[in-house]
Amino acid sequence: MSPILKPLFFFFFLNYVSLSTSLSLHLPLTSLPISSTTNSHRFTTSLLSRKTPSPSSPPYNFRSRFKYSMALIISLPIGTPPQAQQMVLDTGSQLSWIQCHRKKLPPKPKTSFDPSLSSSFSTLPCSHPLCKPRIPDFTLPTSCDSNRLCHYSYFYADGTFAEGNLVKEKITFSNTEITPPLILGCATESSDDRGILGMNRGRLSFVSQAKISKFSYCIPPKSNRPGFTPTGSFYLGDNPNSKGFKYVSLLTFPESQRMPNLDPLAYTVPMIGIRFGLKKLNISGSVFRPDAGGSGQTMVDSGSEFTHLVDAAYDKVREEIVTRVGRRLKKGYVYGGTADMCFDGNVAMIPRLIGDLVFQFTRGVEILVPKERVLVNVGGGIHCVGIGRSSMLGAASNIIGNVHQQNLWVEFDVTNRRVGFARADCSRIL
């Protein structure tokens, strides 16, 4: 998919989704090359093993592989019997949707979901509450199609889209391990051949509907070696590595607190600063927290490749880069319309001059990006600092992208409203 940006339609506060099953999965991860810039998504999973659940643990425990380059792609078994569907793991989106088979139009990829083959598939009629939103925050455009089914349109800020019908379908992991029917989009028109697995805190997300208490992933470093796909891990449920995690509390916002530039369903973390090596940049901590209008929140997003900063923070980062390696910057070049700290030619010395990049949070928690990974190879002999300007996305948030989550365990503890981090060699985790 071309760079997927966060949907223009963020807020879904629905009270009628009620499910009784909880889910625990473990999925080791791998990388796929994608031609994109900021928010491309790719994540592929294959089922490897299942553990017998104990009475004190959630009923599902799976392990599979995923591939990562610019995003995380998971292959989930949808329907009864299951059909493998590739979906982008996106902590910044709510609605999950799959690619559905079109009967009368040119066929979509062979991997598209065929509803006629699933005994658990059902559609949402126009009378369903989701198709008749009555609350201001529900902004997903729905309509009634010619068959009296609920039709949706989902647009992203970069012009990519998906539209089709809202449906209910199960995720069938085995004959005895099946989720309840989940509300999904069944896309018959879209600008990509993969779906989205919405993992944010909204009531329609996969996390909420399947009652996931926590999930975590470990993204391996990208590889420039042709044909090589490094692997990492993804867990739904408890992670046996969590003893070493350092946590920060999520910033949460009541439904009554409405701010025009705030995404209240995002995983918003308390970032307090940025430094290069031992030098902390002169950026006020307030820049990383939402102001009265919601601008400035800092979110952890698996669906964004680059990190993006609001102008006040980006300008300070760029100023420091110019001080250290300004003569080497590629003049007039902007990658993906947002990142202008780029270099071409031999860049071997540049990481040493820039140094380690550190994102600082409360409680002494840090994300340290070693100097060897400060630059991202964007092709054509060009390397860029993996940071873009949020305002060029039309966003007013700070976004920690997946390029700065490599070789880290990142755990989203939904129940306890916190996010945990721990350094790891993600390419070596089995």
Side-chain angles (χ1 to χ4, degrees), residues 187-410:
T188 53
E189 296 290 339
S190 66
S191 49
D192 193 18
D193 58 359
R194 294 175 174 88
I196 296 287
L197 186 65
M199 299 290 285
N200 76 2
R201 298 171 57 248
R203 294 190 177 101
L204 273 187
S205 72
F206 173 74
V207 170
S208 296
Q209 291 194 67
K211 295 190 178 297
I212 307 297
S213 61
K214 63 181 68 172
F215 63 96
S216 53
Y217 50 71
C218 195
I219 302 174
K222 291 173 63 175
S223 173
N224 297 320
R225 189 168 62 183
F228 178 70
T229 53
T231 62
S233 289
F234 173 65
Y235 281 86
L236 288 178
D238 291 332
N239 186 328
N241 303 284
S242 63
K243 290 183 179 179
F245 293 1
K246 294 183 178 180
Y247 292 92
V248 294
S249 297
L250 288 171
L251 301 181
T252 56
F253 310 91
E255 294 185 10
S256 59
Q257 187 177 355
R258 291 292 173 265
M259 293 178 271
N261 294 317
L262 181 77
D263 179 2
L265 307 181
Y267 295 97
T268 304
V269 290
M271 192 159 88
I272 58 175
I274 297 173
R275 74 171 198 265
F276 284 97
L278 298 177
K279 181 179 179 180
K280 183 174 181 179
L281 302 186
N282 185 23
I283 306 172
S284 170
S286 63
V287 169
F288 304 112
R289 291 181 178 244
D291 61 18
S295 299
Q297 75 178 122
T298 300
M299 62 183 74
V300 181
D301 186 6
S302 67
S304 296
E305 183 198 8
F306 274 25
T307 289
H308 284 79
L309 301 174
V310 297
D311 287 350
Y314 187 86
D315 289 342
K316 290 293 185 180
V317 170
R318 194 178 194 285
E319 180 181 302
E320 185 65 22
I321 293 294
V322 169
T323 298
R324 297 183 180 219
V325 290
R327 294 180 180 179
R328 299 291 303 276
L329 283 170
K330 185 174 175 61
K331 295 181 180 179
Y333 181 83
V334 181
Y335 174 68
T338 68
D340 65 352
M341 295 181 287
C342 300
F343 311 85
D344 59 6
N346 187 346
V347 297
M349 289 296 297
I350 292 176
R352 300 178 204 174
L353 296 172
I354 293 177
D356 298 338
L357 169 64
V358 181
F359 299 98
Q360 300 175 292
F361 303 88
T362 56
R363 298 184 179 178
V365 176
E366 296 182 341
I367 293 178
L368 187 150
V369 182
K371 53 182 175 291
E372 296 81 10
R373 290 194 286 108
V374 166
L375 295 185
V376 179
N377 185 349
V378 299
I382 299 174
H383 294 73
C384 298
V385 176
I387 300 175
R389 190 184 293 272
S390 293
S391 60
M392 300 305 292
L393 293 176
S397 305
N398 300 291
I399 303 166
I400 306 297
N402 62 54
V403 74
H404 291 140
Q405 299 175 50
Q406 295 170 15
N407 272 352
L408 279 178
W409 277 115
V410 183

Side-chain angles (χ1 to χ4, degrees), residues 49-60:
S49 68
R50 185 186 71 193
K51 296 180 181 178
T52 303
S54 66
S56 61
S57 67
Y60 306 114

Side-chain angles (χ1 to χ4, degrees), residues 19-27 47 49-63 76-77 170-182 206 209-214 234-239:
L19 302 171
S20 60
T21 304
S22 61
L23 182 66
S24 175
L25 296 146
H26 170 221
L27 310 143
L47 191 62
S49 68
R50 185 186 71 193
K51 296 180 181 178
T52 303
S54 66
S56 61
S57 67
Y60 306 114
N61 193 354
F62 288 83
R63 183 180 179 180
L76 286 181
K170 298 178 179 180
I171 298 179
T172 305
F173 295 104
S174 73
N175 291 334
T176 58
E177 297 172 317
I178 305 171
T179 68
L182 309 179
F206 173 74
Q209 291 194 67
K211 295 190 178 297
I212 307 297
S213 61
K214 63 181 68 172
F234 173 65
Y235 281 86
L236 288 178
D238 291 332
N239 186 328

